[in-house]
Amino acid sequence: MPARVSPYASTAAGVSRKSSAQTPRSRRTTAVEIVRDEGPSTRLRVKVCEILGDAQRSTAGHRKLAVTLRKIQERCCYKSIDRTAKGAIDFEENDFNVEVARCVLRLMSVKRSERVGDCTLKFLGLFLRLASDKDVAMVSQTEVEASQVFLETPTTRLVSHILSILLPLLQSKEKTVRYRATQSVAHIVNSLDSIDDEYYHLLRTSLLKRIRDKEPMIRVQAVLGLGRLAGNEDDQEQEDADSDSENSHGLLERLLDVLQNDSSADVRRSLLLNLPLTPGTLPFLLERARDLDSATRRALYSRLLPALGDFRHLSLSMREKLLRWGLRDRDGNVQKATGRLFRERWIEDCSGESNTKDGQPQAAPKDPSFESLLELLERIDVLNSATSSGIALEAMKDFWNGRPDYRDSVDFSEHFWSHLTPESVFMARSWIDFCKGEGIDKYETLIEDKMPEVTKFGFFLQQYTIDLINRLRRTSTEGAEELEEDTVEQEFIVEQLLHIAKTLDYTDEVGRRKMFALLRETLSVAELPDDITRLVVDVLRDVCGMDGSGEREFCSVVLEAVAEVHDTVAYEDSMICDGDESFHSARSEISEVTSTKSKTVKENKTDDGEAEEAKAIREIMVNMKCLHIAQCMLENVEGSLHQNVHLVTMLNNLVVPAVRSHEAPIRERGLLCLGLCCLLDKALADENLTLFLHCYNKGHDALQISAVHTLCDILTTHPTLLTSETGDPNLQKSINKIFTKAIRAAHMPDVQLAATTALCKLMLMSIIRDKDLLKQAVICYLEPSTKDNAGVIQALSYFLPVFCHSKRDNMEIMASIVGDVLHHQLSLADELEAENETISSGTVGNMLVDWTDARKLVVQDQASVGWDEAGRKEANAVNGDIHLSLAESLLEKSLTHNCTKEERKAMISMVGKMYITPVSSSDKLEAVRELVVEAIDSKIATDAASRNALSRLHVALSKAIGETGKGRQSNEDSDDKTAAEDVQETASIFNSGGNLGSEEAELEVNDIESATEDRDTTLEHMDDEENCLG
């Protein structure tokens, strides 16, 4: 593939177009008609063929061969060359052009798989570039400056001659000829700096036709040539283009359309690497980060973006998207390319000295520069991208892993902790997370060496927390915009410090006490943001210890903080009330003096209303704050509810009143806390399941989603509520009804997604095993109304095959609903026939057959596992009873009169693809074969495909039944043989006894046989007597 041509190179490097003018000394050739009779062989032909023959073997000697061919060209084209020397070739320029074109023409029939064609074209491009440079060097500078038109040289006339032959071949019916002709033209275009204006338009028109060729390999070569021409487009040409012609749209616009819509990944990738980098094309190039082809995505991150220049020219949102798309790509090579781009290229851009040339690394990375690292973090906006769903943590994890020089050189001195910025504290947090996550002793030692002790860290955390609280209080009173921005940064710093605190070792009792007192005091601050409150509770749980006593201490401390938060706000309300009373009394005195009593009464009523409203809002806020702290606490508790008196107190005094509140926000937060309490106590969960069912039936979308999540968690934690024999059947019906209603709610996509995800979890855990719900899930997966809900499609795409292939029982449930699903899908297809949006019945049938194929069972059961003579486990042949039962039900339904033609065709098609094995039940094999014979005799298969499917199934059944019969007969023969062998063995034992003679041994054998006959006679008499009694 030719190298990329930068659009920012000098004008001489581009393909320029100049009007040609015939100079007096020029000998321009015209198109030569190629005929079968090429004339006798000449010395020139032999020399040219020898050079091109050597060039097609390898690219190693191309430079030397190009110089040799150039010498021959000079002897033929320039009169100043001495042609009388020994061995000189006395031919004209036209002869040389014809011989070279003749060899190029021989390449047109060389297939793409042949390497000689590519080698020869590479040599041709190298020769044309070398010859063009030599021609320009031989022309005097005065002639070049005097000539304002296209300068003709022997090489330009050679190119014109070759193009005049190749361009008509672009329309050939043979794909090999079109491919080689397009490839040759693309090589020529990418080898030259300028081209005649006449051939430029011909090239442009011909190659534009080839970008719509049906062969992808031809389109690739066409876009390689057009990519070089695209940088030369000017606005005037686009305005002058004929609106009725194929060229009415600009060349660049048409190439961008191909980049977005071409079906071939090779075409898109070639355009990605060869289009000019301009502000207009850059968005189209960067969106290839979401291309379906992994190689195209990798080319963007490994080749285009490093060659793009300083990444700071990209917008902030585009930087974040490129990092997120690349680091979370499903292809590992794309992830590696993105990580290399971030840790090597982008950080060098921040340092101001690029370490690459043309996008390729030129030397080892420079010395660590933490100023550059902090700028890089600022450029990716860590304030917003460092969240749990952001990309900054993933990017820094890859950075620390790929840059050990930075990892080992980091320095967390006291000055560092005393002057934290959002970028520096996030750098420290990501470094600690990486070292802890690797679990290597070397990194643990590194943390101990560089991190301050817990007590000292606690003082730093206290310093920034106090600063944050002061800023929050000033912001609430003053409300300046600058203060708000500073407060956001300070809040981010405290969050990152709390994340670091979660990784500390609290075996040091002094440090543990310091952190315990600090967190206890911080949690009681009412102004504390919710995110920091959650982190404080999480860290406090680690500080208290993970045992039972630590959990009780943790609950006690958190509930004390809740009480203090409530008392603080209540104290503020009392202070406000006292202030209002004094204000009213003072104003009443003034009213008596000024005699404006009526006006004052109205103002007092207004003020009282505003005060009551403000008080109600404060009450709601304090209750929401207290419930949030309780929620964070419940998320960190694992013990029993009734064994912890603090939890019982919290439930009775805080959660239950909140659930009964008339304020919707408080009630919803209370329901969430009640659901968390239900996870700790089965009896409480059993009592409140109906409450959550009622919340779903009567609540809005957000409350319905919360109710579904709570129900799923409760049933997952206490599965016996549904699976036990003593469970309430009405409760199970209500839950099934809710899930059925929810997964049908296509008009509420969020509710549908929550219900689908919850149902998939419960069915995979075998807590819910209702086949009607499974049928609704399959129908939801196939319905066109769900195609826009990507979350539902993704969840069901994973769930359905995993559910079926995990257990034989699950596969049997799926087999029992196949007929209903197929009937629903065909009925839906009839209703939506005009839209043509449904999945075809053939695709649905293939999926259903695959989901019920016993060969794909992951969990081996008794039907597929056996034991050999040595007691070792061995795999038996797979039992195909599931497919047999499914085939039996489908054939029975297809034989009824209620079955439509389309439904019968789909069923018969499915039956022909089922797995038939001799290991299956012989009765089922016989029953299915009888149904197949009946179906064939009834001629229900009206098309050839259905008849062939029935024939294949009949042959497979007959073969399986025959093998089963042979196996049964061989077993019977072996049983008879074994009995005879036992008799002979017994006789041999008697013979080997030594005390008995042969006559006695024979007598013993006869006695054994007679005893056996007597036993059989006795059994027959017993059977007759039982029959008589009956």
Side-chain angles (χ1 to χ4, degrees):
M1 182 182 294
R4 180 181 178 83
V5 180
S6 174
Y8 304 106
S10 61
T11 308
V15 180
S16 61
R17 309 187 309 279
K18 300 180 180 179
S19 301
S20 60
Q22 188 77 16
T23 58
R25 299 180 59 182
S26 64
R27 292 172 295 183
R28 183 172 182 176
T29 58
T30 57
V32 179
E33 183 180 1
I34 306 299
V35 294
R36 292 181 181 273
D37 186 9
E38 296 178 348
S41 177
T42 61
R43 291 180 58 196
L44 177 62
R45 179 177 299 179
V46 172
K47 287 289 185 181
V48 172
C49 290
E50 286 179 357
I51 293 173
L52 291 173
D54 294 338
Q56 72 182 6
R57 296 189 180 94
S58 174
T59 58
H62 277 188
R63 184 72 182 180
K64 183 178 179 180
L65 294 173
V67 172
T68 304
L69 187 60
R70 170 59 184 176
K71 291 179 179 179
I72 298 176
Q73 184 190 29
E74 290 178 353
R75 292 192 184 99
C76 295
C77 301
Y78 290 99
K79 295 182 178 181
S80 59
I81 303 299
D82 185 12
R83 303 189 182 188
T84 61
K86 183 178 180 181
I89 300 177
D90 188 13
F91 289 96
E92 298 296 329
E93 177 184 348
N94 187 60
D95 299 330
F96 178 81
N97 294 347
V98 169
E99 292 302 330
V100 174
R102 172 183 168 275
C103 294
V104 172
L105 201 57
R106 291 293 184 272
L107 293 174
M108 298 301 103
S109 60
V110 178
K111 294 184 178 180
R112 182 191 179 192
S113 58
E114 296 292 337
R115 182 172 174 269
V116 296
D118 298 333
C119 288
T120 305
L121 286 177
K122 288 180 180 179
F123 170 75
L124 178 63
L126 176 63
F127 166 72
L128 292 177
R129 189 181 304 112
L130 175 66
S132 179
D133 295 340
K134 292 281 188 180
D135 288 338
V136 174
M138 295 178 69
V139 178
S140 64
Q141 186 67 23
T142 306
E143 294 181 5
V144 175
E145 294 177 356
S147 178
Q148 299 297 328
V149 293
F150 179 72
L151 182 64
E152 285 200 6
T153 62
T155 305
T156 60
R157 291 190 288 271
L158 173 61
V159 170
S160 300
H161 179 68
I162 295 175
L163 290 178
S164 65
I165 296 175
L166 292 179
L167 290 179
L169 297 179
L170 294 178
Q171 311 294 330
S172 175
K173 295 182 179 180
E174 293 292 333
K175 64 178 182 180
T176 302
V177 176
R178 292 201 312 276
Y179 169 72
R180 287 300 180 186
T182 310
Q183 184 186 26
S184 303
V185 171
H187 267 282
I188 292 173
V189 169
N190 285 280
S191 301
L192 301 177
D193 294 334
S194 60
I195 197 169
D196 191 359
D197 188 63
E198 175 186 353
Y199 282 101
Y200 174 86
H201 290 287
L202 290 175
L203 281 173
R204 186 180 184 276
T205 304
S206 301
L207 291 177
L208 278 174
K209 294 179 180 179
R210 290 306 99 209
I211 64 174
R212 301 301 181 190
D213 198 282
K214 63 180 180 180
E215 297 295 334
M217 60 180 182
I218 299 175
R219 300 201 300 272
V220 168
Q221 299 302 323
V223 299
L224 287 177
L226 290 172
R228 182 67 185 275
L229 302 179
N232 241 30
E233 283 287 295
D234 52 20
D235 298 335
Q236 185 64 33
E237 276 195 345
Q238 296 185 29
E239 293 176 1
D240 295 341
D242 186 6
S243 59
D244 297 332
S245 67
E246 198 178 29
N247 300 329
S248 58
H249 297 288
L251 174 59
L252 197 57
E253 181 181 350
R254 300 190 63 180
L255 290 179
L256 291 175
D257 179 70
V258 173
L259 177 66
Q260 289 183 306
N261 302 312
D262 197 283
S263 59
S264 173
D266 294 333
V267 176
R268 300 194 301 271
R269 184 163 57 254
S270 300
L271 267 178
L272 175 70
L273 300 175
N274 287 275
L275 276 178
L277 295 174
T278 64
T281 60
L282 189 59
F284 296 93
L285 297 175
L286 294 181
E287 74 178 9
R288 289 302 95 201
R290 306 298 287 168
D291 196 277
L292 294 177
D293 180 58
S294 60
T296 303
R297 301 194 300 271
R298 184 170 66 251
L300 173 72
Y301 285 99
S302 61
R303 298 179 61 181
L304 179 67
L305 288 177
L308 185 60
D310 197 335
F311 81 99
R312 289 173 289 189
H313 295 152
L314 298 174
S315 64
L316 180 61
S317 61
M318 183 54 68
R319 296 174 213 157
E320 193 271 337
K321 287 179 181 179
L322 288 173
L323 275 180
R324 185 174 72 250
W325 293 341
L327 291 176
R328 295 178 180 175
D329 196 279
R330 68 176 71 93
D331 188 80
N333 293 324
V334 179
Q335 297 176 10
K336 293 178 182 178
T338 309
R340 192 179 305 111
L341 174 74
F342 178 77
R343 66 176 179 261
E344 294 178 4
R345 188 68 176 89
W346 284 12
I347 196 169
E348 294 299 335
D349 290 340
C350 292
S351 65
E353 297 181 4
S354 178
N355 196 36
T356 59
K357 182 179 180 181
D358 296 331
Q360 300 299 326
Q362 298 299 310
K366 300 183 182 301
D367 294 334
S369 172
F370 287 96
E371 291 79 7
S372 302
L373 178 57
L374 294 179
E375 182 185 352
L376 177 60
L377 292 176
E378 183 182 359
R379 296 293 182 179
I380 63 174
D381 189 20
V382 292
L383 282 174
N384 296 314
S385 62
T387 59
S388 58
S389 60
I391 197 61
L393 272 175
E394 298 176 36
M396 287 305 296
K397 180 180 178 181
D398 186 88
F399 179 87
W400 296 120
N401 186 39
R403 293 301 296 266
D405 52 341
Y406 277 85
R407 184 179 64 224
D408 298 335
S409 302
V410 68
D411 181 24
F412 298 138
S413 61
E414 185 174 352
H415 180 270
F416 174 85
W417 295 108
S418 301
H419 301 80
L420 288 176
T421 62
E423 291 77 23
S424 62
V425 71
F426 178 75
M427 179 188 72
R429 182 241 173 139
S430 63
W431 181 84
I432 295 172
D433 285 350
F434 170 78
C435 294
K436 287 286 185 180
E438 293 298 314
I440 302 176
D441 295 338
K442 181 182 73 172
Y443 295 151
E444 295 291 341
T445 306
L446 201 62
I447 293 176
E448 294 177 2
D449 294 341
K450 295 183 179 295
M451 284 294 294
E453 58 188 18
V454 178
T455 305
K456 201 170 187 178
F457 182 83
F459 282 107
F460 290 127
L461 178 59
Q462 184 179 16
Q463 170 190 342
Y464 289 102
T465 305
I466 294 174
D467 189 12
L468 172 63
I469 294 172
N470 294 333
R471 290 174 184 270
L472 288 171
R473 289 171 178 171
R474 287 204 310 268
T475 303
S476 61
T477 56
E478 300 176 10
E481 185 176 351
E482 295 180 358
L483 285 176
E484 291 182 2
E485 294 179 359
D486 295 340
T487 304
V488 171
E489 292 185 358
Q490 193 70 18
E491 182 180 342
F492 180 82
I493 292 174
V494 175
E495 286 181 8
Q496 302 308 308
L497 289 175
L498 289 171
H499 279 293
I500 295 174
K502 292 175 66 176
T503 64
L504 298 180
D505 184 8
Y506 294 103
T507 54
D508 178 16
E509 185 63 21
V510 177
R512 192 192 75 83
R513 290 181 179 179
K514 172 62 180 175
M515 290 294 296
F516 180 83
L518 173 62
L519 295 172
R520 165 69 180 80
E521 183 181 358
T522 304
L523 191 59
S524 61
V525 177
E527 295 88 355
L528 206 64
D530 288 347
D531 293 337
I532 295 182
T533 301
R534 182 181 299 276
L535 288 172
V536 169
V537 174
D538 293 344
V539 178
L540 184 61
R541 182 68 183 93
D542 296 334
V543 172
C544 291
M546 304 306 294
D547 55 353
S549 60
E551 184 174 287
R552 287 189 293 272
E553 182 185 17
F554 166 70
C555 295
S556 174
V557 171
V558 173
L559 291 180
E560 288 177 4
V562 170
E564 289 188 15
V565 170
H566 190 276
D567 293 342
T568 300
V569 179
Y571 175 76
E572 293 176 356
D573 291 342
S574 64
M575 295 295 294
I576 292 173
C577 292
D578 294 341
D580 290 343
E581 291 176 0
S582 62
F583 175 73
H584 293 325
S585 61
R587 188 162 54 183
S588 63
E589 294 176 359
I590 297 174
S591 64
E592 292 175 359
V593 176
T594 57
S595 301
T596 56
K597 185 175 181 180
S598 58
K599 182 178 180 181
T600 304
V601 170
K602 293 181 180 179
E603 290 179 355
N604 290 345
K605 289 183 179 180
T606 305
D607 293 339
D608 291 342
E610 293 177 355
E612 290 294 332
E613 184 180 356
K615 182 180 179 181
I617 293 175
R618 282 195 300 273
E619 288 180 356
I620 293 175
M621 296 301 294
V622 67
N623 288 327
M624 292 290 289
K625 181 67 178 180
C626 295
L627 287 171
H628 177 71
I629 298 175
Q631 175 188 344
C632 297
M633 179 192 69
L634 290 170
E635 291 174 352
N636 287 275
V637 175
E638 297 178 356
S640 174
L641 178 69
H642 290 290
Q643 293 179 0
N644 193 327
V645 63
H646 304 290
L647 294 179
V648 176
T649 303
M650 182 268 303
L651 175 65
N652 295 328
N653 297 335
L654 183 62
V655 176
V656 174
V659 173
R660 296 173 178 175
S661 174
H662 295 286
E663 301 294 339
I666 297 177
R667 187 169 60 249
E668 293 174 11
R669 184 68 62 86
L671 286 170
L672 188 58
C673 293
L674 179 61
L676 292 171
C677 292
C678 292
L679 300 181
L680 304 176
D681 187 74
K682 180 180 177 182
L684 183 65
D686 193 12
E687 293 174 2
N688 291 281
L689 274 177
T690 53
L691 173 63
F692 295 110
L693 294 175
H694 177 76
C695 290
Y696 177 84
N697 292 324
K698 302 298 182 180
H700 51 80
D701 292 0
L703 186 58
Q704 286 181 337
I705 294 174
S706 178
V708 168
H709 288 163
T710 305
L711 286 172
C712 178
D713 293 340
I714 290 175
L715 295 177
T716 303
T717 308
H718 309 294
T720 54
L721 292 175
L722 287 184
T723 57
S724 63
E725 297 180 356
T726 58
D728 186 5
N730 294 326
L731 176 64
Q732 188 167 4
K733 290 181 181 178
S734 300
I735 292 175
N736 293 346
K737 183 179 179 181
I738 279 182
F739 278 111
T740 302
K741 181 181 178 181
I743 62 179
R744 289 178 178 175
H747 59 286
M748 297 184 293
D750 295 334
V751 177
Q752 187 182 32
L753 174 59
T756 303
T757 307
L759 180 63
C760 293
K761 293 178 182 178
L762 295 173
M763 296 196 76
L764 283 175
M765 297 177 67
S766 299
I767 298 174
I768 293 180
R769 298 187 57 81
D770 187 74
K771 68 177 184 179
D772 291 333
L773 277 178
L774 180 61
K775 182 178 72 174
Q776 293 300 327
V778 177
I779 291 174
C780 176
Y781 179 62
L782 300 175
E783 278 189 345
S785 59
T786 319
K787 68 178 183 179
D788 295 330
N789 198 334
V792 173
I793 297 298
Q794 185 177 16
L796 292 176
S797 298
Y798 171 80
F799 162 72
L800 290 172
V802 171
F803 174 79
C804 296
H805 298 158
S806 58
K807 293 182 181 179
R808 179 174 290 270
D809 295 339
N810 296 346
M811 192 172 286
E812 290 174 353
I813 295 175
M814 176 61 73
S816 64
I817 65 171
V818 166
D820 296 337
V821 170
L822 196 62
H823 175 74
H824 178 273
Q825 187 66 16
L826 291 172
S827 302
L828 187 64
D830 293 339
E831 296 175 2
L832 303 177
E833 185 177 1
E835 290 83 356
N836 195 21
E837 296 178 345
T838 59
I839 304 175
S840 65
S841 59
T843 304
V844 175
N846 291 337
M847 287 191 294
L848 295 173
V849 170
D850 178 78
W851 293 340
T852 54
D853 191 348
R855 293 172 294 181
K856 296 189 176 182
L857 279 172
V858 177
V859 179
Q860 295 181 340
D861 52 9
Q862 297 179 355
S864 56
V865 176
W867 306 90
D868 60 8
E869 296 178 356
R872 293 173 302 214
K873 183 185 289 188
E874 63 179 4
N876 295 333
V878 179
N879 190 313
D881 287 349
I882 296 178
H883 266 180
L884 281 177
S885 301
L886 179 58
E888 185 177 4
S889 62
L890 293 179
L891 287 172
E892 287 177 351
K893 189 171 183 179
S894 63
L895 288 169
T896 60
H897 297 289
N898 297 331
C899 185
T900 62
K901 181 180 178 181
E902 292 78 10
E903 192 173 353
R904 183 179 292 115
K905 181 179 178 180
M907 290 179 179
I908 294 175
S909 176
M910 288 179 58
V911 166
K913 300 172 184 177
M914 292 185 179
Y915 174 64
I916 307 298
T917 173
V919 184
S920 304
S921 171
S922 58
D923 296 337
K924 289 187 177 181
L925 289 171
E926 290 287 352
V928 175
R929 186 171 70 167
E930 292 177 0
L931 288 173
V932 172
V933 172
E934 182 180 355
I936 295 175
D937 294 341
S938 302
K939 298 182 180 180
I940 61 174
T942 57
D943 58 308
S946 301
R947 291 192 295 270
N948 293 337
L950 288 176
S951 300
R952 287 196 304 270
L953 180 60
H954 185 266
V955 171
L957 290 168
S958 301
K959 183 179 178 181
I961 293 172
E963 293 181 5
T964 304
K966 291 179 181 178
R968 189 183 299 109
Q969 183 64 32
S970 62
N971 291 334
E972 293 176 357
D973 294 342
S974 63
D975 292 340
D976 295 341
K977 183 178 180 181
T978 302
E981 289 176 352
D982 291 342
V983 173
Q984 295 296 331
E985 184 178 359
T986 305
S988 64
I989 293 174
F990 284 126
N991 288 335
S992 63
N995 296 327
L996 298 175
S998 60
E999 295 180 357
E1000 293 175 345
E1002 188 175 353
L1003 179 62
E1004 291 290 337
V1005 172
N1006 294 332
D1007 291 341
I1008 292 173
E1009 293 177 352
S1010 62
T1012 302
E1013 293 175 358
D1014 293 340
R1015 182 193 63 186
D1016 295 340
T1017 304
T1018 303
L1019 292 174
E1020 291 176 0
H1021 285 306
M1022 292 175 64
D1023 292 339
D1024 294 337
E1025 290 176 0
E1026 290 178 359
N1027 294 331
C1028 293
L1029 291 174

